[in-house]
Amino acid sequence: MPRFGAGEISAGFSHKPVMNGVQRCENGALKNGVIAVEKVFVSQVHNGGLYKRPFNEAFEETPMIVAVLTYMGYGILTLFGYLRDFLRSWKIEKCHIATERVEQKDFVPLYQDFEDFYTRNLYMRIRDNWNRPVCSVPGERIDLMERFTDDYNWTFKFTGRMIKGVINMGSYNYLGFAQNTGLCADASAQALNQYGVGMCSTRQEIGNMDKHEELEHLVAKFLGVEAAMVYGMGFATNSMNIPALVGKSCLILSDELNHSSLVLGARLSGATIRIFKHNNMQSLEKLLRDAIVQGQPRTHRPWKKILIVVEGIYSMEGSIVRLPEVIALKKKYKAYLYLDEAHSIGALGPNGRGVVDFFGLHPRDVDIMMGTFTKSFGSAGGYIGGSKALIDYLRAHSHSAAYATSMSPPVAQQIISSMKCIMGEDGTIVGQNRVEQLAENTKYFRRRLTEMGFIIYGNGDSPVVPLMLYMPAKIGAFGREMLKRNIGVVVVGFPATPIIESRARFCVSAAHTKEMLDAALREINEVGDLLQLKYSRHHFVPLLDRPFDETTYEESED
């Protein structure tokens, strides 16, 4: 990546975010220019200006009584947690949590016991909702190993029976390529016979194969960029490449809801990190403007580089990045853009080519395009696409390229086969049909849940569908009740989400038939009535209207 400084503010630009080609005046009239973000409703952002299609994204306000009861629930659990810890200290209650050995009692502890308070007293109560062993192909239906606990979820034992035919509403199998039959599986099996399983070397040594070269050329063609590089692990694609792109005297502007791999990569880079509110262009532009005007702390020298880091689809919120606006700000302030398309590649856009395709933008406008093969392609690993200069630089400086074992050949073949299917290069329209089916399933599933009265977060086109549960007791209850009805779901709570925003996260797949979705919706409706989860009052708070603290940021300075 070129290492020139961040540019100055161009004269004549308004300091308001560019949106939709209009500006709302004090009296509510509109005129050419830009629109005041604090007045706009999300459903109005379409047809002209930066957006070429409707962009409907709203978050319903948490009912006050629900928020109060949720805080009370966590408060009661915390009080009982302290009581149980007191009983454990007097050996009245047995504790199975790991502790330091007696021989090491005078050592500095490897970990603080209090840090496990949440694990001991809250998570352990509902631990049976996670880590369920799957013993089948992770497709639209899965088989689970039945298990039970006789010590309050500290340990589990297997009954020897299987729970068969569970409708899988939790996997990222967006296009249904997680299969053990069909052209992709057959091609992977052939690659396994020809190349074996592992490479036992890095790409820079003796681990570079013709399959890797073929895959990289295909990925570059799929994305519409000059070149691409693939990696064996999606998480490491972010955490090990961001430090190669930015460093000391550079600035990273990161969305507050970015994935932990992006957060880790930013921290490892040594660059200064500042956080902007989720998808809030006011917050992002203020940080950009301040960075240009004030420069680096203490010295006030210009930043070497300013890197904006965002995701295509945010996997907990189900929201889609406001990419046209981000690109407009990036161009205005001469910053770089790093786009993580882990969930959006394959799942968005008329051609399945991600959020850039979804908005009808040019790939040239995104400096670093990152994504993973673990979701829509039913495989493993990740990629970075961009200019040839960028990829050549990463081949020499990326830790993932220099030290990580290269991608397994059967895994690479699975990606090649599924990507060609999406592109239509296999001579069929199966891939295009799957992309269209996913979009149809997503809209249908979201619409039905909203009609039932649930609070649903995110964008109307996002296959990630968060259903709000709120109260801690309902996290475990919802997961258990759904499994009783042969529906596999993912439930999420604090600290993975804000304390009052616990949720169930559904992932829609093109492999789901309408009958499967209707069956799941029937059971969700029944469990929703049982647990009283239908909180919706259809009082939406658009994301741009969410208040933000302009001083909220994190810095790592010398």
Side-chain angles (χ1 to χ4, degrees):
M1 173 182 286
R3 292 182 175 269
F4 49 82
E8 301 297 326
I9 300 178
S10 302
F13 278 90
S14 166
H15 292 314
K16 296 178 182 178
V18 179
M19 286 184 57
N20 208 27
V22 291
Q23 179 176 350
R24 188 176 295 275
C25 305
E26 291 300 322
N27 61 3
L30 301 176
K31 66 180 182 180
N32 293 333
V34 294
I35 193 164
V37 173
E38 55 269 24
K39 305 247 184 188
V40 72
F41 288 91
V42 174
S43 59
Q44 292 177 305
V45 183
H46 62 88
N47 296 335
L50 297 177
Y51 289 84
K52 300 176 183 177
R53 56 173 298 155
F55 186 80
N56 302 310
E57 187 166 289
F59 295 78
E60 187 169 349
E61 189 177 44
T62 305
M64 181 59 70
I65 185 64
V66 174
V68 170
L69 291 174
T70 301
Y71 280 119
M72 287 179 59
Y74 276 106
I76 292 169
L77 285 172
T78 302
L79 288 175
F80 272 91
Y82 280 116
L83 174 61
R84 295 180 70 185
D85 278 355
F86 174 77
L87 295 175
R88 289 165 184 153
S89 67
W90 286 90
K91 309 298 183 184
I92 298 174
E93 180 179 333
K94 188 174 182 181
C95 182
H96 299 271
I97 202 74
T99 57
E100 298 286 357
R101 293 185 300 174
V102 177
E103 295 86 349
Q104 293 179 309
K105 63 180 180 180
D106 295 327
F107 288 28
V108 176
L110 290 174
Y111 63 92
Q112 296 297 321
D113 186 57
F114 181 76
E115 293 175 0
D116 289 327
F117 179 86
Y118 185 89
T119 301
R120 291 194 303 271
N121 299 300
L122 282 81
Y123 166 72
M124 202 57 64
R125 293 173 179 267
I126 54 176
R127 182 171 169 244
D128 56 301
N129 284 281
W130 295 281
N131 307 315
R132 291 168 176 157
V134 178
C135 50
S136 68
V137 176
E140 63 276 14
R141 287 187 182 272
I142 54 176
D143 298 336
L144 301 176
M145 295 179 67
E146 189 179 65
R147 61 181 183 173
F148 71 97
T149 179
D150 52 14
D151 55 4
Y152 304 102
N153 289 340
W154 287 101
T155 61
F156 294 99
K157 298 176 182 177
F158 296 109
T159 64
R161 297 188 296 269
M162 288 193 302
I163 306 173
K164 289 185 169 290
V166 176
I167 297 178
N168 182 3
M169 298 299 300
S171 293
Y172 309 131
N173 184 27
Y174 296 130
L175 295 181
F177 283 113
Q179 301 169 309
N180 61 351
T181 59
L183 295 176
C184 295
D186 293 343
S188 295
Q190 186 177 347
L192 176 63
N193 291 332
Q194 181 178 351
Y195 297 98
V197 177
M199 294 306 305
C200 304
S201 183
T202 67
R203 291 287 299 277
Q204 290 187 357
E205 295 169 349
I206 316 178
N208 191 33
M209 299 194 67
D210 57 342
K211 283 295 172 188
H212 300 138
E213 298 284 346
E214 179 186 355
L215 175 57
E216 289 178 343
H217 284 99
L218 186 64
V219 170
K221 182 179 178 181
F222 183 68
L223 298 176
V225 296
E226 291 180 5
M229 186 172 182
V230 298
Y231 304 89
M233 181 181 179
F235 191 98
T237 305
N238 279 329
S239 60
M240 293 291 101
N241 281 297
I242 292 178
L245 296 171
V246 290
K248 204 171 174 182
S249 301
C250 296
L251 174 65
I252 293 176
L253 301 181
S254 178
D255 190 289
E256 66 175 344
L257 296 183
N258 275 343
H259 190 262
S260 59
S261 60
L262 294 168
V263 175
L264 178 60
R267 289 175 176 171
L268 289 174
S269 71
T272 299
I273 305 167
R274 292 181 182 170
I275 310 300
F276 63 91
K277 289 296 180 180
H278 176 55
N279 245 355
N280 192 312
M281 297 301 106
Q282 281 181 303
S283 178
L284 174 58
E285 184 168 27
K286 181 184 185 303
L287 291 179
L288 280 166
R289 191 165 58 242
D290 290 348
I292 298 295
V293 172
Q294 298 176 13
Q296 299 181 46
R298 293 197 299 272
T299 65
H300 298 291
R301 292 176 179 173
W303 297 100
K304 287 184 177 178
K305 277 182 286 192
I306 298 176
L307 182 67
I308 303 170
V309 181
V310 294
E311 293 187 46
I313 292 178
Y314 292 84
S315 59
M316 282 297 170
E317 301 295 310
S319 54
I320 297 175
V321 64
R322 296 179 172 274
L323 191 60
E325 297 170 69
V326 175
I327 289 175
L329 290 175
K330 166 231 169 190
K331 290 180 177 179
K332 178 179 176 181
Y333 293 99
K334 306 297 188 292
Y336 292 108
L337 177 58
Y338 187 108
L339 174 63
D340 179 346
E341 292 219 69
H343 286 267
S344 54
I345 192 68
L348 282 183
N351 303 299
R353 303 191 183 192
V355 71
V356 176
D357 184 31
F358 176 77
F359 286 113
L361 302 172
H362 199 287
R364 243 193 338 256
D365 292 331
V366 179
D367 301 289
I368 305 112
M369 300 182 72
M370 178 272 171
T372 64
F373 303 119
T374 55
K375 301 167 181 69
S376 294
F377 303 96
S379 191
Y383 67 83
I384 284 185
S387 66
K388 187 175 184 303
L390 168 69
I391 301 305
D392 289 344
Y393 174 83
L394 288 177
R395 289 192 195 281
H397 295 86
S398 169
H399 288 77
S400 290
Y403 303 113
T405 301
S406 55
M407 183 183 288
S408 171
V411 170
Q413 183 59 57
Q414 166 70 18
I415 303 164
I416 292 170
S417 301
S418 56
M419 191 172 289
K420 284 184 175 180
C421 183
I422 297 170
M423 298 169 71
E425 292 191 2
D426 62 343
T428 71
I429 58 170
V430 171
Q432 185 62 37
N433 289 342
R434 293 191 186 207
V435 172
E436 294 171 359
Q437 187 63 53
L438 174 62
E440 184 180 327
N441 287 353
T442 295
K443 288 183 173 63
Y444 176 72
F445 191 71
R446 280 183 167 274
R447 177 175 59 81
R448 287 291 308 279
L449 288 177
T450 303
E451 290 171 354
M452 290 176 186
F454 295 103
I455 293 181
I456 304 300
Y457 272 11
N459 192 285
D461 293 295
S462 170
V464 178
V465 187
L467 183 153
M468 304 311 293
L469 303 176
Y470 297 112
M471 301 179 195
K474 294 184 179 182
I475 301 172
F478 186 83
R480 292 171 189 138
E481 289 296 327
M482 292 304 294
L483 185 59
K484 286 180 185 177
R485 292 161 172 79
N486 244 35
I487 311 292
V489 302
V490 173
V491 288
V492 191
F494 179 82
T497 66
I499 194 166
I500 65 165
E501 293 187 6
S502 300
R503 65 198 65 180
R505 184 186 65 184
F506 300 101
C507 291
V508 182
S509 171
H512 289 139
T513 63
K514 188 173 184 298
E515 290 72 24
M516 288 181 189
L517 293 178
D518 285 337
L521 287 163
R522 278 196 306 273
E523 303 301 344
I524 293 169
N525 188 44
E526 182 180 326
V527 174
D529 290 331
L530 177 66
L531 302 180
Q532 299 182 10
L533 296 173
K534 299 179 179 180
Y535 303 113
S536 178
R537 298 175 297 178
H538 300 292
H539 178 204
F540 294 101
V541 177
L543 186 63
L544 289 178
D545 290 349
R546 283 183 168 183
F548 67 92
D549 178 4
E550 295 183 344
T551 63
T552 301
Y553 59 88
E554 173 185 343
E555 291 191 359
S556 57
E557 300 175 3
D558 298 340

